[in-house]
Amino acid sequence: MSGNGFSLETLQGWMQNTLIFPGSTSSQDIEKHLQPSSRLQAVQRLGIYQRSYYLRLLQCLREQFPALCHALGEQLFTDFAREYLQTHPSESYTLYDLGRRFPGYLEQTRPDKNDPQNVRESWVDFMIDLASFERQLFVLFDAPGHEEKYMLADATVPDRLLQLQPCFDLGDYRFPVAGYYHQVRKGSDPLFPAEHPSAVAIIRKNYLTTTLPLTAVQFAFLKLLQQGDTIESALKQTALQIGLTVDEVYRSWNAPNGIRNRWLDAGLFVVIHPGG
């Protein structure tokens, strides 16, 4: 790097701009900032960084959105990813947040965004939902979980001591994106699914991330728990929602093959101490 009186901040800004927008900088400007080596000119040295920088970022996005890359095809995915990176360049020393704004970017730049909702292309909706789901999955894969701090609950733990575990989230989509994702990860080449509301719970248990399909009622119940309601309160609200008595809902909840035991087995709940 040349020492022509540029501040570190100026040099960093210049370098980032040249990496994000190859061809935007003249060879004369490059030579002001970079020194040649014994074998390469300054322009050639920069070219190596420009190519490797984008290749690395594109590979990270493919790893964060594997099902979306499969659905779009690698070339079209790469085109979208390049445009995204130019609009939202990496802002952190870590690439963990690289895809954070990708689903929103796809929504904002969709070609039919100004059309009425009823005439928009459904395949675009599917791609946006799929990107949103994969981002959720990626975040939970590395989020703080129960493994080092909490004990997973079993069937002997009373409801009042149950709490949703920290590595948990809910997804509500227009398409069954979780099923499509799992088929792709198994090596299949599934067809695009038809539009159909789909709700899932995403959980990491013992460092393994899984998804559970949910009915609309189950989703609403878990949403209440996620917002801080107790199980007792959430069950009562669920009874009102579906038109059953509280006793009927409790019997269903506590049945041997009921949802309570299935969710405990899946690792949704950890044990909390009385009073917090």
Side-chain angles (χ1 to χ4, degrees), residues 194-226:
E195 185 170 357
H196 188 273
S198 172
V200 296
I202 308 173
I203 318 102
R204 195 186 71 218
K205 176 184 177 183
N206 298 329
Y207 298 104
L208 178 64
T209 306
T210 58
T211 61
L212 291 177
L214 302 173
T215 66
V217 173
Q218 291 167 355
F219 179 88
F221 174 76
L222 288 172
K223 192 70 175 178
L224 291 171
L225 297 185
Q226 194 178 47

mmCIF file of all heavy atoms in Angstrom, residues 194-226:
data_model
loop_
_atom_site.group_PDB
_atom_site.id
_atom_site.type_symbol
_atom_site.label_atom_id
_atom_site.label_comp_id
_atom_site.label_asym_id
_atom_site.label_seq_id
_atom_site.Cartn_x
_atom_site.Cartn_y
_atom_site.Cartn_z
ATOM 1 N N ALA A 194 -46.949 -25.528 -4.778
ATOM 2 C CA ALA A 194 -48.081 -24.622 -4.961
ATOM 3 C C ALA A 194 -48.217 -23.725 -3.736
ATOM 4 O O ALA A 194 -47.812 -24.095 -2.633
ATOM 5 C CB ALA A 194 -49.363 -25.426 -5.174
ATOM 6 N N GLU A 195 -48.786 -22.559 -3.928
ATOM 7 C CA GLU A 195 -48.975 -21.643 -2.814
ATOM 8 C C GLU A 195 -49.933 -22.253 -1.799
ATOM 9 O O GLU A 195 -51.026 -22.700 -2.134
ATOM 10 C CB GLU A 195 -49.527 -20.308 -3.322
ATOM 11 C CG GLU A 195 -49.631 -19.248 -2.240
ATOM 12 C CD GLU A 195 -49.952 -17.873 -2.795
ATOM 13 O OE1 GLU A 195 -50.044 -17.737 -4.024
ATOM 14 O OE2 GLU A 195 -50.112 -16.935 -1.987
ATOM 15 N N HIS A 196 -49.489 -22.267 -0.552
ATOM 16 C CA HIS A 196 -50.306 -22.814 0.531
ATOM 17 C C HIS A 196 -49.705 -22.339 1.847
ATOM 18 O O HIS A 196 -48.492 -22.483 2.070
ATOM 19 C CB HIS A 196 -50.311 -24.347 0.499
ATOM 20 C CG HIS A 196 -51.268 -24.965 1.464
ATOM 21 N ND1 HIS A 196 -50.921 -25.225 2.778
ATOM 22 C CD2 HIS A 196 -52.561 -25.355 1.329
ATOM 23 C CE1 HIS A 196 -51.956 -25.757 3.393
ATOM 24 N NE2 HIS A 196 -52.966 -25.836 2.548
ATOM 25 N N PRO A 197 -50.495 -21.740 2.738
ATOM 26 C CA PRO A 197 -49.943 -21.243 4.001
ATOM 27 C C PRO A 197 -49.188 -22.335 4.757
ATOM 28 O O PRO A 197 -49.629 -23.488 4.836
ATOM 29 C CB PRO A 197 -51.191 -20.795 4.775
ATOM 30 C CG PRO A 197 -52.201 -20.496 3.719
ATOM 31 C CD PRO A 197 -51.938 -21.486 2.622
ATOM 32 N N SER A 198 -48.058 -21.955 5.302
ATOM 33 C CA SER A 198 -47.203 -22.935 5.967
ATOM 34 C C SER A 198 -46.571 -22.295 7.192
ATOM 35 O O SER A 198 -45.971 -21.221 7.103
ATOM 36 C CB SER A 198 -46.111 -23.411 5.003
ATOM 37 O OG SER A 198 -45.155 -24.210 5.654
ATOM 38 N N ALA A 199 -46.716 -22.966 8.330
ATOM 39 C CA ALA A 199 -46.120 -22.483 9.581
ATOM 40 C C ALA A 199 -45.191 -23.555 10.131
ATOM 41 O O ALA A 199 -45.498 -24.754 10.065
ATOM 42 C CB ALA A 199 -47.200 -22.145 10.603
ATOM 43 N N VAL A 200 -44.056 -23.130 10.659
ATOM 44 C CA VAL A 200 -43.083 -24.075 11.207
ATOM 45 C C VAL A 200 -42.469 -23.523 12.480
ATOM 46 O O VAL A 200 -42.413 -22.309 12.686
ATOM 47 C CB VAL A 200 -41.942 -24.400 10.209
ATOM 48 C CG1 VAL A 200 -42.467 -25.095 8.980
ATOM 49 C CG2 VAL A 200 -41.173 -23.133 9.845
ATOM 50 N N ALA A 201 -42.029 -24.445 13.318
ATOM 51 C CA ALA A 201 -41.170 -24.100 14.447
ATOM 52 C C ALA A 201 -39.760 -24.543 14.090
ATOM 53 O O ALA A 201 -39.558 -25.611 13.500
ATOM 54 C CB ALA A 201 -41.639 -24.808 15.718
ATOM 55 N N ILE A 202 -38.783 -23.710 14.424
ATOM 56 C CA ILE A 202 -37.380 -24.023 14.157
ATOM 57 C C ILE A 202 -36.685 -24.135 15.511
ATOM 58 O O ILE A 202 -36.764 -23.218 16.332
ATOM 59 C CB ILE A 202 -36.712 -22.940 13.296
ATOM 60 C CG1 ILE A 202 -37.537 -22.657 12.040
ATOM 61 C CG2 ILE A 202 -35.297 -23.359 12.917
ATOM 62 C CD1 ILE A 202 -37.035 -21.483 11.223
ATOM 63 N N ILE A 203 -36.050 -25.271 15.744
ATOM 64 C CA ILE A 203 -35.448 -25.551 17.048
ATOM 65 C C ILE A 203 -34.053 -26.131 16.857
ATOM 66 O O ILE A 203 -33.827 -26.917 15.932
ATOM 67 C CB ILE A 203 -36.264 -26.591 17.853
ATOM 68 C CG1 ILE A 203 -37.759 -26.332 17.750
ATOM 69 C CG2 ILE A 203 -35.816 -26.632 19.302
ATOM 70 C CD1 ILE A 203 -38.440 -27.272 16.783
ATOM 71 N N ARG A 204 -33.145 -25.746 17.748
ATOM 72 C CA ARG A 204 -31.857 -26.438 17.784
ATOM 73 C C ARG A 204 -31.751 -27.208 19.090
ATOM 74 O O ARG A 204 -31.804 -26.632 20.177
ATOM 75 C CB ARG A 204 -30.684 -25.462 17.673
ATOM 76 C CG ARG A 204 -29.368 -26.196 17.328
ATOM 77 C CD ARG A 204 -28.176 -25.297 17.344
ATOM 78 N NE ARG A 204 -27.822 -24.903 18.693
ATOM 79 C CZ ARG A 204 -27.390 -23.689 19.029
ATOM 80 N NH1 ARG A 204 -27.311 -22.740 18.139
ATOM 81 N NH2 ARG A 204 -27.083 -23.423 20.294
ATOM 82 N N LYS A 205 -31.660 -28.519 18.985
ATOM 83 C CA LYS A 205 -31.551 -29.398 20.145
ATOM 84 C C LYS A 205 -30.230 -30.146 20.071
ATOM 85 O O LYS A 205 -29.956 -30.839 19.092
ATOM 86 C CB LYS A 205 -32.714 -30.391 20.163
ATOM 87 C CG LYS A 205 -32.641 -31.422 21.275
ATOM 88 C CD LYS A 205 -33.765 -32.437 21.164
ATOM 89 C CE LYS A 205 -33.663 -33.517 22.215
ATOM 90 N NZ LYS A 205 -34.721 -34.556 22.066
ATOM 91 N N ASN A 206 -29.410 -29.969 21.102
ATOM 92 C CA ASN A 206 -28.101 -30.629 21.145
ATOM 93 C C ASN A 206 -27.309 -30.375 19.864
ATOM 94 O O ASN A 206 -26.744 -31.285 19.258
ATOM 95 C CB ASN A 206 -28.269 -32.122 21.395
ATOM 96 C CG ASN A 206 -28.918 -32.415 22.733
ATOM 97 O OD1 ASN A 206 -28.743 -31.669 23.693
ATOM 98 N ND2 ASN A 206 -29.707 -33.482 22.798
ATOM 99 N N TYR A 207 -27.301 -29.114 19.441
ATOM 100 C CA TYR A 207 -26.543 -28.604 18.293
ATOM 101 C C TYR A 207 -27.072 -29.086 16.939
ATOM 102 O O TYR A 207 -26.420 -28.888 15.915
ATOM 103 C CB TYR A 207 -25.052 -28.950 18.416
ATOM 104 C CG TYR A 207 -24.405 -28.340 19.629
ATOM 105 C CD1 TYR A 207 -24.109 -29.119 20.750
ATOM 106 C CD2 TYR A 207 -24.108 -26.986 19.678
ATOM 107 C CE1 TYR A 207 -23.532 -28.556 21.891
ATOM 108 C CE2 TYR A 207 -23.527 -26.415 20.804
ATOM 109 C CZ TYR A 207 -23.238 -27.205 21.903
ATOM 110 O OH TYR A 207 -22.673 -26.636 23.020
ATOM 111 N N LEU A 208 -28.243 -29.691 16.920
ATOM 112 C CA LEU A 208 -28.857 -30.118 15.666
ATOM 113 C C LEU A 208 -30.118 -29.295 15.433
ATOM 114 O O LEU A 208 -31.035 -29.306 16.262
ATOM 115 C CB LEU A 208 -29.199 -31.608 15.715
ATOM 116 C CG LEU A 208 -29.893 -32.191 14.475
ATOM 117 C CD1 LEU A 208 -28.958 -32.111 13.269
ATOM 118 C CD2 LEU A 208 -30.319 -33.636 14.720
ATOM 119 N N THR A 209 -30.171 -28.580 14.329
ATOM 120 C CA THR A 209 -31.313 -27.725 14.012
ATOM 121 C C THR A 209 -32.353 -28.517 13.230
ATOM 122 O O THR A 209 -32.029 -29.173 12.234
ATOM 123 C CB THR A 209 -30.872 -26.499 13.195
ATOM 124 O OG1 THR A 209 -29.830 -25.812 13.890
ATOM 125 C CG2 THR A 209 -32.035 -25.540 12.977
ATOM 126 N N THR A 210 -33.599 -28.439 13.689
ATOM 127 C CA THR A 210 -34.692 -29.153 13.031
ATOM 128 C C THR A 210 -35.885 -28.212 12.876
ATOM 129 O O THR A 210 -35.938 -27.135 13.472
ATOM 130 C CB THR A 210 -35.134 -30.387 13.844
ATOM 131 O OG1 THR A 210 -35.547 -29.961 15.156
ATOM 132 C CG2 THR A 210 -34.002 -31.392 13.971
ATOM 133 N N THR A 211 -36.849 -28.644 12.065
ATOM 134 C CA THR A 211 -38.077 -27.877 11.891
ATOM 135 C C THR A 211 -39.270 -28.786 12.165
ATOM 136 O O THR A 211 -39.223 -29.997 11.918
ATOM 137 C CB THR A 211 -38.202 -27.312 10.464
ATOM 138 O OG1 THR A 211 -38.241 -28.381 9.517
ATOM 139 C CG2 THR A 211 -37.031 -26.399 10.144
ATOM 140 N N LEU A 212 -40.328 -28.172 12.682
ATOM 141 C CA LEU A 212 -41.564 -28.895 12.948
ATOM 142 C C LEU A 212 -42.713 -28.190 12.241
ATOM 143 O O LEU A 212 -42.914 -26.992 12.437
ATOM 144 C CB LEU A 212 -41.866 -28.926 14.444
ATOM 145 C CG LEU A 212 -40.966 -29.757 15.358
ATOM 146 C CD1 LEU A 212 -41.410 -29.570 16.803
ATOM 147 C CD2 LEU A 212 -41.014 -31.225 14.969
ATOM 148 N N PRO A 213 -43.499 -28.917 11.430
ATOM 149 C CA PRO A 213 -44.683 -28.291 10.830
ATOM 150 C C PRO A 213 -45.731 -28.014 11.890
ATOM 151 O O PRO A 213 -45.893 -28.794 12.840
ATOM 152 C CB PRO A 213 -45.151 -29.347 9.818
ATOM 153 C CG PRO A 213 -44.623 -30.649 10.347
ATOM 154 C CD PRO A 213 -43.330 -30.329 11.027
ATOM 155 N N LEU A 214 -46.432 -26.903 11.740
ATOM 156 C CA LEU A 214 -47.430 -26.494 12.719
ATOM 157 C C LEU A 214 -48.769 -26.199 12.057
ATOM 158 O O LEU A 214 -48.808 -25.704 10.920
ATOM 159 C CB LEU A 214 -46.980 -25.216 13.452
ATOM 160 C CG LEU A 214 -45.650 -25.257 14.205
ATOM 161 C CD1 LEU A 214 -45.303 -23.862 14.709
ATOM 162 C CD2 LEU A 214 -45.703 -26.245 15.367
ATOM 163 N N THR A 215 -49.834 -26.495 12.773
ATOM 164 C CA THR A 215 -51.146 -26.029 12.347
ATOM 165 C C THR A 215 -51.264 -24.552 12.732
ATOM 166 O O THR A 215 -50.450 -24.020 13.497
ATOM 167 C CB THR A 215 -52.271 -26.817 13.023
ATOM 168 O OG1 THR A 215 -52.234 -26.530 14.439
ATOM 169 C CG2 THR A 215 -52.105 -28.313 12.797
ATOM 170 N N ALA A 216 -52.297 -23.896 12.226
ATOM 171 C CA ALA A 216 -52.505 -22.484 12.558
ATOM 172 C C ALA A 216 -52.723 -22.296 14.057
ATOM 173 O O ALA A 216 -52.223 -21.331 14.657
ATOM 174 C CB ALA A 216 -53.692 -21.937 11.765
ATOM 175 N N VAL A 217 -53.447 -23.232 14.680
ATOM 176 C CA VAL A 217 -53.706 -23.136 16.119
ATOM 177 C C VAL A 217 -52.414 -23.343 16.916
ATOM 178 O O VAL A 217 -52.140 -22.616 17.882
ATOM 179 C CB VAL A 217 -54.773 -24.158 16.548
ATOM 180 C CG1 VAL A 217 -54.916 -24.183 18.069
ATOM 181 C CG2 VAL A 217 -56.119 -23.825 15.905
ATOM 182 N N GLN A 218 -51.606 -24.310 16.521
ATOM 183 C CA GLN A 218 -50.337 -24.549 17.198
ATOM 184 C C GLN A 218 -49.403 -23.346 17.071
ATOM 185 O O GLN A 218 -48.724 -22.962 18.029
ATOM 186 C CB GLN A 218 -49.672 -25.803 16.634
ATOM 187 C CG GLN A 218 -50.395 -27.093 16.974
ATOM 188 C CD GLN A 218 -49.905 -28.275 16.147
ATOM 189 O OE1 GLN A 218 -49.076 -28.121 15.236
ATOM 190 N NE2 GLN A 218 -50.396 -29.462 16.466
ATOM 191 N N PHE A 219 -49.398 -22.763 15.889
ATOM 192 C CA PHE A 219 -48.573 -21.570 15.671
ATOM 193 C C PHE A 219 -49.012 -20.444 16.602
ATOM 194 O O PHE A 219 -48.174 -19.785 17.245
ATOM 195 C CB PHE A 219 -48.671 -21.127 14.214
ATOM 196 C CG PHE A 219 -47.884 -19.884 13.886
ATOM 197 C CD1 PHE A 219 -46.557 -19.969 13.511
ATOM 198 C CD2 PHE A 219 -48.473 -18.627 13.969
ATOM 199 C CE1 PHE A 219 -45.824 -18.822 13.223
ATOM 200 C CE2 PHE A 219 -47.752 -17.478 13.682
ATOM 201 C CZ PHE A 219 -46.422 -17.577 13.303
ATOM 202 N N ALA A 220 -50.321 -20.209 16.687
ATOM 203 C CA ALA A 220 -50.837 -19.147 17.543
ATOM 204 C C ALA A 220 -50.504 -19.409 19.014
ATOM 205 O O ALA A 220 -50.152 -18.487 19.761
ATOM 206 C CB ALA A 220 -52.345 -19.012 17.343
ATOM 207 N N PHE A 221 -50.605 -20.662 19.435
ATOM 208 C CA PHE A 221 -50.289 -21.041 20.815
ATOM 209 C C PHE A 221 -48.816 -20.763 21.127
ATOM 210 O O PHE A 221 -48.476 -20.142 22.146
ATOM 211 C CB PHE A 221 -50.614 -22.518 21.021
ATOM 212 C CG PHE A 221 -50.205 -23.068 22.362
ATOM 213 C CD1 PHE A 221 -50.940 -22.794 23.495
ATOM 214 C CD2 PHE A 221 -49.076 -23.867 22.477
ATOM 215 C CE1 PHE A 221 -50.563 -23.295 24.741
ATOM 216 C CE2 PHE A 221 -48.680 -24.374 23.705
ATOM 217 C CZ PHE A 221 -49.431 -24.082 24.843
ATOM 218 N N LEU A 222 -47.914 -21.206 20.241
ATOM 219 C CA LEU A 222 -46.489 -20.989 20.473
ATOM 220 C C LEU A 222 -46.117 -19.515 20.373
ATOM 221 O O LEU A 222 -45.193 -19.061 21.047
ATOM 222 C CB LEU A 222 -45.667 -21.812 19.471
ATOM 223 C CG LEU A 222 -45.670 -23.321 19.718
ATOM 224 C CD1 LEU A 222 -44.996 -24.054 18.566
ATOM 225 C CD2 LEU A 222 -44.972 -23.658 21.036
ATOM 226 N N LYS A 223 -46.846 -18.772 19.557
ATOM 227 C CA LYS A 223 -46.596 -17.330 19.459
ATOM 228 C C LYS A 223 -46.878 -16.657 20.799
ATOM 229 O O LYS A 223 -46.136 -15.760 21.220
ATOM 230 C CB LYS A 223 -47.479 -16.718 18.367
ATOM 231 C CG LYS A 223 -47.080 -15.295 17.985
ATOM 232 C CD LYS A 223 -45.752 -15.290 17.244
ATOM 233 C CE LYS A 223 -45.377 -13.928 16.738
ATOM 234 N NZ LYS A 223 -44.051 -13.919 16.065
ATOM 235 N N LEU A 224 -47.940 -17.089 21.454
ATOM 236 C CA LEU A 224 -48.244 -16.556 22.777
ATOM 237 C C LEU A 224 -47.119 -16.860 23.765
ATOM 238 O O LEU A 224 -46.714 -15.999 24.551
ATOM 239 C CB LEU A 224 -49.564 -17.135 23.295
ATOM 240 C CG LEU A 224 -50.837 -16.677 22.573
ATOM 241 C CD1 LEU A 224 -52.033 -17.508 23.040
ATOM 242 C CD2 LEU A 224 -51.101 -15.198 22.816
ATOM 243 N N LEU A 225 -46.620 -18.091 23.735
ATOM 244 C CA LEU A 225 -45.508 -18.458 24.624
ATOM 245 C C LEU A 225 -44.264 -17.638 24.290
ATOM 246 O O LEU A 225 -43.535 -17.197 25.182
ATOM 247 C CB LEU A 225 -45.196 -19.945 24.506
ATOM 248 C CG LEU A 225 -46.290 -20.935 24.912
ATOM 249 C CD1 LEU A 225 -45.753 -22.360 24.841
ATOM 250 C CD2 LEU A 225 -46.821 -20.635 26.306
ATOM 251 N N GLN A 226 -44.025 -17.438 23.005
ATOM 252 C CA GLN A 226 -42.849 -16.669 22.580
ATOM 253 C C GLN A 226 -42.937 -15.217 23.063
ATOM 254 O O GLN A 226 -41.911 -14.589 23.341
ATOM 255 C CB GLN A 226 -42.730 -16.716 21.051
ATOM 256 C CG GLN A 226 -41.390 -16.241 20.505
ATOM 257 C CD GLN A 226 -41.330 -16.370 19.001
ATOM 258 O OE1 GLN A 226 -42.254 -15.985 18.287
ATOM 259 N NE2 GLN A 226 -40.236 -16.916 18.488
#
